[in-house]
Amino acid sequence: MPLAVPVLRRVQVLARYPHLGRGFTQGLLCDGRGDRDGSDGSMVWESTGEYGISVLRRYRLGADRDEDCGLVPPEMFAEGICPAGDDGLWQLTWREGVALRWRLDPLTLVEQVAYDREGWGICAAGDCVMTSDGSSELVRRDPVTLRPLGTVVAHCGDRSVTGLNDLAWSGGLVWANVMARPYLAGIDPATGSVVEVVDARPVAERHWRTPQAVMNGIAALPAPAEFLLTGKTWRWIYHVRLAAARSRRNPLRLLTG
């Protein structure tokens, strides 16, 4: 039986915004509450990494200052973020074996919980959260405790897809940055099958002297098939919409080749 080939799509750039602070982006999340005054939802949370300077910040796209900013303990390297109930956020740490829970108003670090893997990406996915650790595995977790509930291996055709990084949830799929590749994977959380591959090269910034400045940071927006994309120390955050691809390239090779 022939292997199912994922749908190949591309990004259409709708807008771009200066990347506040040009942080070492590890997690990006749209704040669905907007500006707390019923505005258009152009507020985001961003988790930036590196030891000694990791933060969790909230700001309006295009602004030149934060609305909120919380300092991560200096011995921790911050990673992905996702909602924790109605009034909090989870923030993963890389190799410290803990996840941080923040209260949002006022922004306060309220708890550290044990975490059993390296922290990379995390997203709320229906009645659970899904996490990545840079491998091909996605772990389904309890949204209250982050206790692991099951694991699925992301694969494209008959090959696993490694390097899963920041995650977002949209349209019933887990969307993942793939480390050091200008492509996104849309993954069925039940089977691990990559059902969509997105060519994001139109927004891939080139930083010749900074090899770590790779694409990382994906946030689902309220409109269907629309996302915010950025990267580590990138100049811009891009508002994109997924569109039909013009290329005839085999999507199986883009993620695993």
Side-chain angles (χ1 to χ4, degrees), residues 103-115:
R103 184 173 63 236
L104 300 186
D105 193 9
L107 184 61
T108 309
L109 179 58
V110 294
E111 185 180 15
Q112 298 182 22
V113 301
Y115 190 78

Side-chain angles (χ1 to χ4, degrees), residues 144-160:
V144 177
T145 65
L146 296 187
R147 179 174 61 87
L149 302 174
T151 303
V152 65
V153 175
H155 60 278
C156 194
D158 63 349
R159 300 183 65 179
S160 61

Side-chain angles (χ1 to χ4, degrees), residues 123-209:
C123 68
D127 61 355
C128 69
V129 299
M130 302 289 288
T131 64
S132 64
D133 63 1
S135 69
S136 61
E137 294 185 340
L138 292 174
V139 181
R140 184 167 56 91
R141 296 180 182 272
D142 183 286
V144 177
T145 65
L146 296 187
R147 179 174 61 87
L149 302 174
T151 303
V152 65
V153 175
H155 60 278
C156 194
D158 63 349
R159 300 183 65 179
S160 61
V161 176
T162 62
L164 300 180
N165 207 343
D166 194 25
L167 305 177
W169 173 253
S170 179
L173 298 178
V174 175
W175 297 87
N177 286 120
V178 180
M179 186 66 178
R181 291 181 182 265
Y183 303 102
L184 308 173
I187 305 166
D188 181 338
T191 65
S193 179
V194 174
V195 297
E196 296 197 23
V197 175
V198 179
D199 184 347
R201 288 177 297 169
V203 302
E205 294 185 5
R206 290 169 173 79
H207 298 254
W208 303 112
R209 297 183 180 180

Side-chain angles (χ1 to χ4, degrees), residues 52-147:
I53 58 173
S54 288
V55 300
L56 174 65
R57 59 177 16 147
R58 179 181 181 270
Y59 56 89
R60 177 179 292 280
L61 291 171
D64 59 2
R65 63 179 179 85
D66 297 318
E67 297 278 334
D68 291 300
C69 186
L71 301 178
V72 173
E75 69 276 11
M76 297 182 182
F77 191 118
E79 289 279 349
I81 52 177
C82 85
D86 295 331
D87 62 347
L89 284 180
W90 285 116
Q91 184 178 39
L92 301 182
T93 63
W94 182 24
R95 292 176 171 172
E96 286 64 64
V98 298
L100 310 178
R101 188 170 68 84
W102 294 82
R103 184 173 63 236
L104 300 186
D105 193 9
L107 184 61
T108 309
L109 179 58
V110 294
E111 185 180 15
Q112 298 182 22
V113 301
Y115 190 78
D116 63 330
R117 293 194 178 208
E118 285 191 2
W120 286 50
I122 184 171
C123 68
D127 61 355
C128 69
V129 299
M130 302 289 288
T131 64
S132 64
D133 63 1
S135 69
S136 61
E137 294 185 340
L138 292 174
V139 181
R140 184 167 56 91
R141 296 180 182 272
D142 183 286
V144 177
T145 65
L146 296 187
R147 179 174 61 87

